[in-house]
Amino acid sequence: MSAPRLFNRLALIGVGLIGSSIAHAARAQGAVGSIVATARSAATRRRVAELGLADQVVETNTAAVEGADLVIVCIPVGACGAVAAEIGAHLTPGAIVSDVGSVKGAVLRDMAPHIPAGVHFVPAHPVAGTEHSGPDAGFAELFVNRWCILTPPPDADAAAVERLAAFWSLIGANVETMPAEHHDLVLGITSHLPHLIAYTIVGTADELAQVTRSEVLRFSAGGFRDFTRIAASDPTMWRDVFLANKDAVLEMLGRFSEDLSTLTRAIRRGDGDTLFDHFTRTRAIRRGIVEIGQDSPAPDFGRPHPGLPHEPLPRPYSAEE
Ligand code: NAP
């Protein structure tokens, strides 16, 4: 039995990791009749056409949204307001406009004023990604068993929210709905702060005088390597995330600094009990993540290990990535 076609024409504005993954997944599931795509640069538009990611690649954002009943803006959050202003007058009545930005309060604030009456605005954030960018980076399974959080404004049309939820479900995601401010707080601790820590520690290691850069690289499997993967994420995207989610990130950073001071004091005083109790609690959180299927229990060596008696890690964690 073939899957239901949920939308006739999907317009993708921005075709990087997330936009191209949506294109792959929507095609694979037959979720839309056709896909029209555009990107800021001619080079990306050309690559999107070469990869055959869309039925039609157009030069402007306004041309992309003409006749589309689903428009998904897949660009850095700092650029969403300007794009909404550009496309507002060209949207089709009854269409759903959404985005995939990692911050929701700022996107709602910047985009909503430009969406005309009769067009439904339902912001979204697929909590799925890799450290890779651009149209070549996408794959159809990116959203499978990952969460997509919808943050509809309080007066959003319930049927439109349901239609968008059905789209994300069809391409593999579990869908959750919450207010934008709550989303920003949750993601502040689960995503934004970890990225800030990774960016910091990799920078700190790079600036050490007593330890050479080649030593840092050679002995990275001691823990550093895992931070470098996160710290390789797109600089533009993450600059925009921290600027757009300033309040929540500062709140979480304050709590983090207090906890770091506690552990610092425990190390200085030789207080092993405090360290042990803390590490025991955090280990349980890791086990919880594995139990609910958000990561694999297999050891991650960061390289192929064919002799191991376990299933290959699911993408995006597989060694071939
Ligand atoms: P990406 O791979 O870097 O692609 C970004 C796309 O946006 C490209 O098509 C780029 O066009 C376009 N773009 C960049 N700046 C723009 C501007 N000022 N105006 C118009 N278009 C612009 O990024 P991505 O990883 O797909 O991220 C896209 C969005 O998804 C971001 O809002 C991010 O917060 C969110 N998100 C990312 C992840 C992740 O792990 N990467 C996960 C969840 C959500 P050109 O190539 O022509 O420059």
Side-chain angles (χ1 to χ4, degrees), residues 14-18 40-41 44 75-76 79 100-102 125-126 128-129 133-134 237:
V15 193
L17 167 69
I18 302 296
R40 180 177 54 166
S41 68
T44 299
I75 64 175
V100 294
S102 307
H125 175 207
S133 309
M237 167 186 158

Side-chain angles (χ1 to χ4, degrees), residues 26-321:
R27 275 254 176 85
Q29 297 303 326
V32 297
S34 64
I35 301 176
V36 56
T38 190
R40 180 177 54 166
S41 68
T44 299
R45 294 195 295 270
R46 206 165 37 244
R47 188 64 187 144
V48 172
E50 278 167 12
L51 292 168
L53 289 170
D55 299 287
Q56 206 186 343
V57 180
V58 296
E59 291 199 5
T60 64
N61 296 334
T62 52
V65 304
E66 296 285 356
D69 50 355
L70 175 61
V71 175
I72 307 184
V73 177
C74 306
I75 64 175
V77 289
C80 285
V83 166
E86 200 187 332
I87 62 175
H90 301 265
L91 295 164
T92 305
I96 294 175
V97 176
S98 189
D99 76 307
V100 294
S102 307
V103 180
K104 300 276 45 105
V107 164
L108 196 58
R109 180 197 65 211
D110 295 348
M111 289 186 74
H114 304 292
I115 309 298
V119 173
H120 308 294
F121 180 42
V122 186
H125 175 207
V127 187
T130 74
E131 67 276 30
H132 301 296
S133 309
D136 287 88
F139 52 96
E141 307 83 12
L142 179 65
F143 310 111
V144 174
N145 199 25
R146 296 288 179 249
W147 287 93
C148 182
I149 302 175
L150 307 187
T151 61
D155 59 349
D157 179 71
V161 177
E162 242 171 64
R163 274 186 86 197
L164 188 66
F167 175 81
W168 280 104
S169 298
L170 187 56
I171 62 174
N174 307 314
V175 180
E176 173 90 45
T177 301
M178 64 177 74
E181 313 76 61
H182 189 66
H183 165 279
D184 290 354
L185 210 53
V186 173
L187 272 291
I189 189 64
T190 59
S191 171
H192 306 168
L193 188 59
H195 275 79
L196 192 68
I197 292 167
Y199 280 123
T200 310
I201 197 169
V202 174
T204 304
D206 194 42
E207 284 158 18
L208 285 178
Q210 314 92 305
V211 180
T212 65
R213 180 182 271 207
S214 96
E215 284 173 313
V216 169
L217 301 184
R218 267 189 298 150
F219 305 124
S220 63
F224 182 74
R225 185 199 68 198
D226 295 340
F227 284 105
T228 60
R229 189 186 61 75
I230 297 178
S233 300
D234 186 67
T236 306
M237 167 186 158
W238 283 97
R239 176 203 62 198
D240 282 12
V241 166
F242 291 116
L243 295 180
N245 201 22
K246 176 177 160 183
D247 292 344
V249 170
L250 290 178
E251 159 75 16
M252 295 305 166
L253 199 52
R255 288 165 183 255
F256 174 78
S257 303
E258 286 171 19
D259 291 345
L260 190 59
S261 300
T262 305
L263 294 183
T264 306
R265 196 169 53 243
I267 292 169
R268 190 181 298 116
R269 293 180 176 174
D271 176 0
D273 289 347
T274 295
L275 296 176
F276 186 83
D277 290 349
H278 189 92
F279 301 160
T280 304
R281 190 155 53 88
T282 56
R283 185 177 228 196
I285 289 178
R286 167 70 191 169
R287 286 186 178 146
I289 288 171
V290 170
E291 267 165 34
I292 63 168
Q294 290 298 299
D295 204 352
S296 162
D300 181 2
F301 289 93
R303 57 190 133 96
H305 219 279
L308 280 177
H310 60 69
E311 294 294 308
L313 296 174
R315 296 179 82 170
Y317 301 102
S318 71
E320 81 210 22
E321 279 292 303

